[in-house]
């Protein structure tokens, strides 16, 4: 599987699909794009896209967050920016913000409002998934139905969902 190609195709789903029909950045002064709130985790294999693109606005580091796959512990890369990027080179986590994939207690995949976004994003504080633009939500679901065909990404999402559960306790 050429994971770089898959991510590049999935990115295109979000060229015009956004969380709401208006510019949500006007509500909060584009807080999610300031670059001072931490980085964005890259999904498994996504760092290969950034090795190809080699953007001058981003740096990728290893994070402390890890998952297991095929008997190996894998550190999840995290992308940091300085608040400026090429919109068409953003990682998937930025494109789907403030939503995120999640494996629920029944082991079913779903899309939720990322609880980590609630401290930053007015939309995350006030809206449920069904309140976001339908095209945007459908594209997030479509992206993760494609990615979940990878066993590695499924294993990552299970561990990621455990991580998200730690934040859900507070909201």
């Amino acid at each position: 599987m050429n994971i770089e190609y898959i991510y590049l195709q999935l990115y295109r789903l979000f060229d015009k699909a956004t969380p709401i029909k208006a510019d949500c950045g006007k509500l909060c002064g584009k807080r999610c794009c300031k670059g001072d709130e931490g980085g964005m985790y890259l999904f498994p294999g996504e760092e290969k896209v950034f090795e190809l693109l080699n953007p001058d606005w981003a740096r990728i580091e290893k994070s402390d967050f890890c998952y297991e796959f095929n008997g190996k512990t894998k550190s999840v890369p995290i992308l940091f920016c300085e608040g400026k990027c090429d919109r068409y080179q953003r990682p998937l986590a930025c494109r789907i913000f403030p939503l995120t994939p999640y494996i629920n207690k029944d082991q079913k995949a779903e899309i939720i409002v990322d609880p980590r976004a609630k401290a930053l994003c007015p939309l995350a504080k006030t809206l449920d998934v069904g309140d976001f633009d339908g095209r945007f939500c459908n594209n997030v679901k479509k992206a993760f139905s494609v990615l979940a065909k990878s066993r590695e990404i499924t294993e990552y999402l299970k561990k990621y969902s455990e991580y998200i559960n730690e934040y859900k306790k507070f909201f």
Side-chain angles (χ1 to χ4, degrees), residues 70-86:
N70 282 346
K72 296 180 183 172
T73 300
K74 296 192 165 203
S75 174
V76 177
I78 187 167
L79 182 140
F80 294 96
C81 73
E82 301 301 322
K84 294 181 178 137
C85 71
D86 178 336

Side-chain angles (χ1 to χ4, degrees), residues 43-67:
F43 292 96
E46 192 175 13
E47 70 276 5
K48 292 178 181 177
V49 173
F50 290 91
E51 289 170 7
L52 289 173
L53 298 174
N54 194 26
D56 60 0
W57 53 267
R59 76 181 191 283
I60 297 173
E61 298 178 9
K62 283 187 174 184
S63 71
D64 292 336
F65 179 52
C66 297
Y67 66 101

